[in-house]
Amino acid sequence: MGKPIYKTAQDLEKMRASADLLGRTHAEVAKRVMPGITTLELDKIAFEFIKDNGAVPSFLGLYGCPSSLLTSVNDQVVHGLPNNRPLKNGDIVSIDCGVLLNGFHADSAYTYEIGEVSLEVKNLLKATKEALYLGIEKLVYGNRIGDISNAIQKHSEGKGYSVVRELVGHGVGRSLHEGPEVPNFGKPKKGDKIRNGLVIAIEPMINMGSKAVVQASDGWTIMTRDGKPSAHFEHTVAVVDGKPEVLTTFKYIEQAIKIFHS
């Protein structure tokens, strides 16, 4: 991925617009995330909403990706391809999406509960989202990437979960994937120093069981080796005036869940 590419104030203004559209795209999808819907139907909703708003889906065509969303169900960690299998009560689905607007990408993911899920699974989702925000807290001027990684690992493993090693967060900007890599595990005070203008995607991928993963025969989907559930939450975050500014938002998603699923 190479070295970080630091963003100007003008770049960040464009990225805020891209990130806001991404949040609204997730909300359009969130309205329909319920038992009986297929992930292909959700993908179509996202594609049309992004296009209708004058933007481009970041994932579609990237490395040959056939979809606008990556939809990972239950024991699928990330990179699940949308398909015709209806979601059912008790499932979880991680929906990862990216948007390219005004020359800049934004990237975020959210793991949804389908109907009534077990308390054990709810706790996994809660801990993974907490780990994301604990990682974000470490994105301050003078810290290093390892401080983010360590905060995520410490919280997740402290709750009895395991951290996927093969997949990491990354810089975001004119390219969806830029430097630096942002692992979800590691030692504090290691890695690139955090400076103003850095924009990264922080994305804990946390397993209920073992950290071991395997790739499906489709060449995309990453699954837990033991078949236990995995959760994934992601924000695009910038360093502004020495502190983290979360560019993407879950606010629209959580409003949609409250209105359409409560």
Side-chain angles (χ1 to χ4, degrees):
M1 287 183 191
K3 284 288 177 189
I5 300 168
Y6 298 97
K7 309 304 183 289
T8 66
Q10 291 81 6
D11 294 340
L12 289 172
E13 274 307 301
K14 291 176 181 175
M15 293 195 77
R16 287 183 186 101
S18 182
D20 187 72
L21 175 57
L22 177 54
R24 291 188 288 116
T25 302
H26 269 291
E28 287 301 305
V29 173
K31 292 173 189 176
R32 300 288 305 282
V33 176
M34 60 185 71
I37 194 129
T38 69
T39 48
L40 263 179
E41 289 174 289
L42 297 175
D43 186 61
K44 186 167 184 280
I45 290 165
F47 174 80
E48 289 176 353
F49 187 80
I50 292 167
K51 287 292 190 185
D52 286 350
N53 282 277
V56 175
S58 296
F59 297 173
L60 188 60
L62 183 70
Y63 315 125
C65 180
S67 56
S68 301
L69 298 179
L70 293 169
T71 53
S72 306
V73 180
N74 296 333
D75 64 335
Q76 297 175 351
V77 181
V78 284
H79 302 166
L81 297 179
N83 59 39
N84 276 316
R85 185 177 74 82
L87 295 171
K88 62 183 191 300
N89 188 60
D91 283 343
I92 55 171
V93 57
S94 162
I95 296 182
D96 195 353
C97 187
V99 161
L100 173 63
L101 179 68
N102 300 326
F104 286 91
H105 294 270
D107 189 6
S108 72
Y110 193 92
T111 302
Y112 294 83
E113 301 174 15
I114 309 301
E116 291 298 317
V117 307
S118 70
L119 181 60
E120 193 181 24
V121 168
K122 276 182 188 290
N123 287 339
L124 171 68
L125 269 55
K126 180 172 181 282
T128 305
K129 196 200 269 190
E130 287 169 352
L132 169 61
Y133 286 103
L134 288 168
I136 289 168
E137 283 177 14
K138 298 294 184 182
L139 187 69
V140 295
Y141 185 89
N143 272 0
R144 292 184 180 269
I145 294 297
D147 295 309
I148 299 166
S149 307
N150 184 257
I152 292 168
Q153 180 180 12
K154 201 170 165 187
H155 183 73
S156 303
E157 292 180 353
K159 296 284 187 181
Y161 305 121
S162 58
V163 179
V164 174
R165 300 299 203 267
E166 289 82 352
L167 301 141
V168 297
H170 51 90
V172 186
R174 290 191 182 276
S175 297
L176 183 65
H177 296 129
E178 298 180 350
E181 289 193 348
V182 186
N184 296 305
F185 63 97
K187 292 186 166 64
K189 306 301 175 193
K190 300 286 184 185
D192 285 294
K193 196 172 270 190
I194 293 164
R195 290 170 39 189
N196 287 320
L198 180 69
V199 183
I200 58 174
I202 301 176
E203 50 177 323
M205 291 157 267
I206 308 300
N207 296 347
M208 187 178 285
S210 159
K211 65 178 181 289
V213 296
V214 293
Q215 189 171 49
S217 57
D218 62 13
W220 279 90
T221 311
I222 305 293
M223 303 175 296
T224 60
R225 186 176 286 168
D226 60 13
K228 291 186 177 177
S230 184
H232 178 212
F233 288 88
E234 175 184 19
H235 270 314
T236 298
V237 193
V239 184
V240 180
D241 296 330
K243 292 179 291 198
E245 180 187 327
V246 181
L247 302 181
T248 48
T249 181
F250 294 154
K251 177 181 68 178
Y252 302 135
I253 294 172
E254 287 163 359
Q255 283 172 349
I257 290 170
K258 199 171 178 183
I259 293 165
F260 291 90
H261 304 292
S262 57

